[in-house]
Amino acid sequence: MIQEDLFKKIVAHCKEYGFIFQSSELYDGLSAVYDYGQNGVELKNNIKEYWWKSMTQLNEEVVGIDSAIFMHPTIWKASGHVDAFNDPLIDNKDSKKRYRADVLIEEHLEKINDKIKKEVEKARKRFGEAFDENQFLSTNQKVLEYSQKIDSIKKEFVEALDENCLDKIRQIIVDQEIVDPVSGSRNWTEVRQFNLMFDTKLGSVAEGANTIYLRPETAQGIFVNYLNVQKTGRMKIPFGIAQIGKAFRNEIVARQFIFRMREFEQMEMQYFVKPGEELRWFDIWKERRMKWHQSLGIDPSKYRWHKHDKLAHYANAAYDIEFEFPFGFKEIEGIHSRTDFDLSQHQQYSGKKIQYFDNESGESYVPYVVETSIGLDRTFLSILSAAYKEEQLENETRIVLNIPAPLAPVKVAVLPLVKKDGLPELAREIMDTLKLDMNCQYEEKDSIGKRYRRQDAIGTPFCITVDHQSAQDRTVTIRYRDTMEQERIPVEKLAEIVKEKVDMKNLLKELL
Ligand code: ATP
């Protein structure tokens, strides 16, 4: 299936089956804001639970908090967000569309990279078994030219970003003849900086209102609580603080469904370490986080690392984990070594000492921080796009979501074959036992085939069918979503079998 079509289908499927709705749809919608429906919220909560447990339960030295969205405005001055949380924007004068200038350049680089990939594939076909990819990459003239082009654009780009020179960013767009992806026009405006923070007023205007911000990241809530948690939890370095919560950014371009929203959720963890040990911890957390993604059972080739060419002024190392969405490889999580920048800034702006006293060495220092920052909504989209399958059966197409069983919105559907002969009663009895442990659905409407399809479409891993034989011998059939195989088992054994398969433990175990 063409990837663009796949993406359209996923978006439509999300709406049709109660995963995601456009916010304020009744009023024609609010751009780049989405609501999670009855199935979406279950999947989202399960992803959160998995991340939360993997952080706070599997790591004894990581604890969680839940800080407020509103914070003292000076926090955002100290963190640099008031002055520097900007994206460079550019408008196309013909199409009147607005773009992020940095994204236009990155997409241009990706296109050149795709050309290299095409050359490699062509050569692979031509040379067959004997093909040596590394040798080809280092000797083929065309590939070398493309690689040189990428390097020289990247060099200019990093220079422009380092100097914060908007004219130079624009010049790259002009020199590379980058066109508006919609209209094909090259009629660009100047590049301008645009601050992404939303602001609002605290208190009534008459009382002398203060401008405060909706947090653009959850991390600052962790930094300003560092001392509280360290002291009350008697935490010893190295230790981490994890948090899940909403963040808000007034994104310039927000066209890719829940990939880029103006209100979204982050799952962040800041790990406080001794200065000088940050790069060792950075490598450890890089590995742990990739393992977490790969435990979801998605094809490992869908993930790749992206090293930041331009480091933020506070970072001394930064990598992104990118996922291959239907619209290409894009960032899903960032892992950053943030030095002591944030804590030092808060120390300076608050006038309060933020230091750690190391009992063993007898020294005090401002801890360094390694952060892992993952977008919950992007993770949701990655799981859903990997799970969506259209399978050709004998007489029909079946749409199925192969979501890992512990994350599935509904774990079990209980389906009496007919609405009489005592079958609904037995089905209800089964529901009453299972629903104490997991989210179950009872359905008696429509043919059993139609009911199976509906459950496949929301990713329910198990369907339990109660038939006439069940009423006689208390056995039921269990149908497995992925293989569609059916098996007859005693009602008394059901809870044990299903519970074992949907347990979050199955995912957590893979991280040990
Ligand atoms: P991008 O370059 O795509 O704008 P970013 O580098 O600004 O992302 P971070 O500030 O590192 O993102 O935020 C951490 C994570 O939060 C990202 O990896 C992403 O998964 C998520 N995230 C950031 N912005 C958005 C958004 N507008 N909508 C949904 N998720 C987001």
Side-chain angles (χ1 to χ4, degrees):
M1 196 187 316
I2 301 171
Q3 293 298 294
E4 214 168 285
D5 291 346
L6 172 66
F7 187 45
K8 277 190 194 141
K9 283 186 178 178
I10 291 170
V11 175
H13 190 84
C14 278
K15 178 169 181 203
E16 189 178 345
Y17 287 94
F19 283 90
I20 295 166
F21 308 121
Q22 172 77 58
S23 158
S24 321
E25 193 189 316
L26 202 57
Y27 291 86
D28 298 332
L30 187 65
S31 157
V33 188
Y34 290 89
D35 297 338
Y36 284 81
Q38 67 278 17
N39 289 317
V41 70
E42 294 290 341
L43 173 56
K44 188 168 155 181
N45 284 343
N46 295 338
I47 300 171
K48 280 196 226 185
E49 186 189 335
Y50 178 41
W51 183 88
W52 188 257
K53 288 192 166 163
S54 72
M55 279 295 173
T56 64
Q57 202 168 296
L58 294 194
N59 299 298
E60 291 155 44
E61 79 289 14
V62 178
V63 292
I65 61 163
D66 182 20
S67 70
I69 287 171
F70 292 144
M71 291 195 268
H72 195 289
T74 311
I75 289 174
W76 302 110
K77 191 80 192 146
S79 68
H81 283 80
V82 171
D83 297 319
F85 193 52
N86 300 321
D87 275 343
L89 70 82
I90 189 164
D91 290 283
N92 187 279
K93 291 184 199 162
D94 296 327
S95 71
K96 307 274 181 272
K97 292 259 181 228
R98 179 162 286 180
Y99 296 94
R100 256 174 69 177
D102 55 332
V103 171
L104 283 179
I105 296 172
E106 272 157 16
E107 284 176 356
H108 180 68
L109 289 168
E110 195 56 38
K111 272 190 199 145
I112 306 178
N113 209 17
D114 285 345
K115 286 186 187 163
I116 297 181
K117 279 194 214 150
K118 270 198 193 129
E119 291 298 327
V120 170
E121 282 324 303
K122 267 201 308 201
R124 193 189 304 284
K125 275 196 196 130
R126 206 167 55 232
F127 295 113
E129 291 274 301
F131 182 61
D132 178 341
E133 183 170 332
N134 284 337
Q135 193 191 348
F136 181 77
L137 285 174
S138 57
T139 52
N140 179 274
Q141 200 48 39
K142 256 192 191 163
V143 169
L144 288 176
E145 276 167 27
Y146 288 140
S147 303
Q148 274 160 11
K149 195 165 179 191
I150 291 179
D151 289 344
S152 88
I153 299 173
K154 269 192 183 167
K155 190 165 162 268
E156 264 182 74
F157 187 35
V158 171
E159 253 171 41
L161 292 172
D162 275 341
E163 292 167 23
N164 208 1
C165 181
L166 300 179
D167 286 343
K168 282 193 178 168
I169 294 181
R170 183 175 189 277
Q171 202 52 47
I172 299 175
I173 294 177
V174 173
D175 291 347
Q176 293 303 318
E177 302 183 341
I178 296 177
V179 296
D180 177 337
V182 177
S183 66
S185 145
R186 277 190 246 149
N187 197 1
W188 296 110
T189 61
E190 297 304 303
V191 176
R192 281 177 295 143
Q193 290 288 25
F194 179 77
N195 192 289
L196 299 179
M197 281 204 294
F198 285 103
D199 59 29
T200 184
K201 299 275 182 276
L202 186 75
S204 81
V205 180
E207 287 162 9
N210 255 327
T211 296
I212 57 165
Y213 300 97
L214 298 187
R215 66 179 179 199
E217 62 173 28
T218 58
Q220 297 304 323
I222 292 179
F223 291 127
V224 297
N225 275 299
Y226 161 79
L227 276 183
N228 286 335
V229 174
Q230 194 271 319
K231 293 224 152 76
T232 57
R234 301 165 62 234
M235 310 302 288
K236 291 240 167 337
I237 272 182
F239 75 91
I241 306 179
Q243 163 156 248
I244 300 177
K246 289 260 169 138
F248 304 82
R249 295 183 188 177
N250 199 0
E251 297 282 359
I252 299 168
V253 185
R255 292 196 193 110
Q256 278 154 333
F257 194 39
I258 58 167
F259 177 81
R260 191 174 297 287
M261 298 197 283
R262 300 206 162 99
E263 173 179 342
F264 59 100
E265 244 173 301
Q266 289 185 316
M267 307 193 282
E268 297 198 293
M269 195 279 304
Q270 326 295 137
Y271 204 71
F272 300 93
V273 305
K274 195 172 171 180
E277 294 193 353
E278 71 279 7
L279 292 179
R280 183 169 71 82
W281 283 108
F282 180 71
D283 285 340
I284 293 173
W285 278 105
K286 257 180 75 192
E287 193 186 319
R288 288 184 186 168
R289 293 307 304 147
M290 188 55 109
K291 205 167 170 189
W292 187 90
H293 285 278
Q294 300 200 334
S295 70
L296 298 171
I298 298 173
D299 175 1
S301 72
K302 292 250 167 208
Y303 296 94
R304 73 179 187 194
W305 287 108
H306 168 79
K307 184 173 187 267
H308 283 213
D309 295 315
K310 150 105 178 85
L311 289 174
H313 56 285
Y314 51 75
N316 64 4
Y319 273 82
D320 295 334
I321 295 178
E322 293 187 337
F323 179 80
E324 191 175 19
F325 291 97
F327 40 84
F329 271 103
K330 299 271 176 201
E331 172 178 346
I332 188 167
E333 170 157 10
I335 294 133
H336 312 127
S337 173
R338 289 178 80 126
T339 68
D340 60 353
F341 174 79
D342 302 87
L343 291 184
S344 297
Q345 287 289 102
H346 290 308
Q347 184 167 255
Q348 187 190 331
Y349 277 77
S350 68
K352 314 244 164 63
K353 204 166 153 190
I354 307 182
Q355 296 217 332
Y356 178 77
F357 177 69
D358 191 330
N359 271 328
E360 275 165 32
S361 66
E363 15 157 22
S364 287
Y365 54 79
V366 179
Y368 269 43
V369 172
V370 172
E371 105 177 329
T372 71
S373 174
I374 171 171
L376 174 55
D377 313 271
R378 289 188 189 178
T379 309
F380 183 109
L381 187 57
S382 71
I383 292 174
L384 213 74
S385 33
Y388 183 93
K389 307 265 158 27
E390 287 182 7
E391 291 176 2
Q392 205 50 52
L393 305 182
E394 247 170 59
N395 301 320
E396 58 175 329
T397 311
R398 140 173 129 124
I399 295 180
V400 58
L401 298 183
N402 303 121
I403 300 171
L407 302 183
V410 177
K411 308 292 194 249
V412 177
V414 184
L415 317 170
L417 195 62
V418 290
K419 278 188 243 175
K420 54 184 185 181
D421 306 332
L423 305 191
E425 287 76 5
L426 180 54
R428 283 283 173 206
E429 183 196 318
I430 294 170
M431 274 293 287
D432 286 345
T433 317
L434 293 182
K435 74 184 183 193
L436 294 172
D437 286 304
M438 63 196 80
N439 196 22
C440 307
Q441 235 176 44
Y442 176 88
E443 265 208 302
E444 55 179 29
K445 216 168 155 277
D446 293 329
S447 73
I448 198 75
K450 273 198 182 151
R451 281 182 269 169
Y452 284 158
R453 290 292 162 273
R454 275 205 296 271
Q455 295 299 332
D456 287 342
I458 62 168
T460 308
F462 309 104
C463 286
I464 309 293
T465 308
V466 179
D467 58 15
H468 286 97
Q469 189 182 331
S470 315
Q472 284 168 5
D473 65 3
R474 291 183 68 81
T475 61
V476 288
T477 53
I478 179 165
R479 173 188 177 270
Y480 299 96
R481 175 195 68 198
D482 300 344
T483 57
M484 291 187 287
E485 272 167 21
Q486 301 192 16
E487 213 183 335
R488 193 161 270 280
I489 51 171
V491 170
E492 272 58 41
K493 283 219 166 142
L494 202 53
E496 190 194 331
I497 294 175
V498 178
K499 248 163 73 179
E500 209 273 315
K501 295 208 157 78
V502 303
D503 203 325
M504 198 62 89
K505 214 161 57 184
N506 295 323
L507 292 178
L508 289 167
K509 229 157 40 183
E510 293 192 32
L511 303 176
L512 294 178

